[in-house]
Amino acid sequence: MERKEIKPLTDEQVRALLAVIGDDGYGTLLKVVVFTGLRLAEAIGLTWDCIDFEKRRLIVNKQLQKRPIADGGFTFTPLTNDKTLVIAPAPFVLDLLKCWQQPQAEERLRAGWEWKGWKSEKERQTALVFTTAFGVHLHPQTVYNHFKEFAV
């Protein structure tokens, strides 16, 4: 299998991206991806219980993968080789995530009973960090389309 070379953004490209992406859920998600190196599937599969604000780390042990509808559609899968990543992100990233809790809570209140994934305390603890306005996981293609808007 041929592997493509990963080409990280230059400092200038990062500055330009930060200047245009904003502070909505997609902007916050893109900032987390840029500053942690998470793959998109890992970032959209990030749950609140994987963020340890006290110890200032992210514990990445799953990703959200698209499967055929017949196979259950989107599902959490373990990382390659069943490994867990422990990332000590910059304080800026943890601050972003901490600040993101409030807008997400406001979206949940607006959605009311239509919000998915917060019906019990366990669901609240394992709820996705980045969701639609109704608490549903984000689709990778939608996130990619948002990124393309900014990258043009």
Side-chain angles (χ1 to χ4, degrees), residues 8 14 33-34 39 52 57 59 74 112 148 152:
V14 169
V33 168
V34 167
R39 293 180 173 95
D52 189 336
R57 64 184 185 175
I59 302 160
F74 281 91
K148 277 178 39 178
V152 173

Side-chain angles (χ1 to χ4, degrees), residues 1-151:
M1 182 164 97
E2 185 180 332
R3 293 183 178 240
K4 293 182 181 178
E5 182 183 347
I6 296 173
K7 296 179 183 175
L9 298 175
T10 65
D11 289 346
E12 184 177 309
Q13 290 170 321
V14 169
R15 275 191 291 279
L17 183 64
L18 289 175
V20 296
I21 58 177
D23 293 323
D24 66 355
Y26 291 106
T28 302
L29 171 62
L30 291 174
K31 288 174 189 174
V32 169
V33 168
V34 167
F35 287 102
T36 62
L38 290 178
R39 293 180 173 95
L40 184 56
E42 295 165 348
I44 64 173
L46 190 64
T47 53
W48 286 111
D49 64 325
C50 292
I51 303 171
D52 189 336
F53 290 107
E54 224 173 83
K55 293 182 180 176
R56 305 197 63 75
R57 64 184 185 175
L58 303 179
I59 302 160
V60 184
N61 54 15
K62 61 190 168 301
Q63 58 189 335
L64 192 63
Q65 290 289 317
K66 183 179 179 185
R67 302 279 188 234
I69 299 289
D71 293 336
F74 281 91
T75 187
F76 286 111
T77 61
L79 301 183
T80 307
N81 299 327
D82 272 337
K83 292 189 176 180
T84 296
L85 298 174
V86 179
I87 300 171
F92 160 77
V93 173
L94 289 166
D95 292 344
L96 275 173
L97 292 167
K98 189 76 159 165
C99 289
W100 179 242
Q101 289 178 316
Q102 181 65 34
Q104 188 184 56
E106 290 169 4
E107 284 184 340
R108 183 177 57 84
L109 288 174
R110 279 192 297 276
W113 291 106
E114 295 181 55
W115 184 267
K116 306 293 183 221
W118 285 54
K119 292 179 177 57
S120 69
E121 184 58 34
K122 181 175 182 185
E123 283 184 350
R124 276 190 279 284
Q125 291 301 313
T126 59
L128 289 166
V129 173
F130 301 106
T131 63
T132 67
F134 293 98
V136 178
H137 66 81
L138 297 176
H139 193 289
Q141 187 63 48
T142 304
V143 176
Y144 178 73
N145 291 344
H146 276 269
F147 174 73
K148 277 178 39 178
E149 286 177 25
F150 302 126

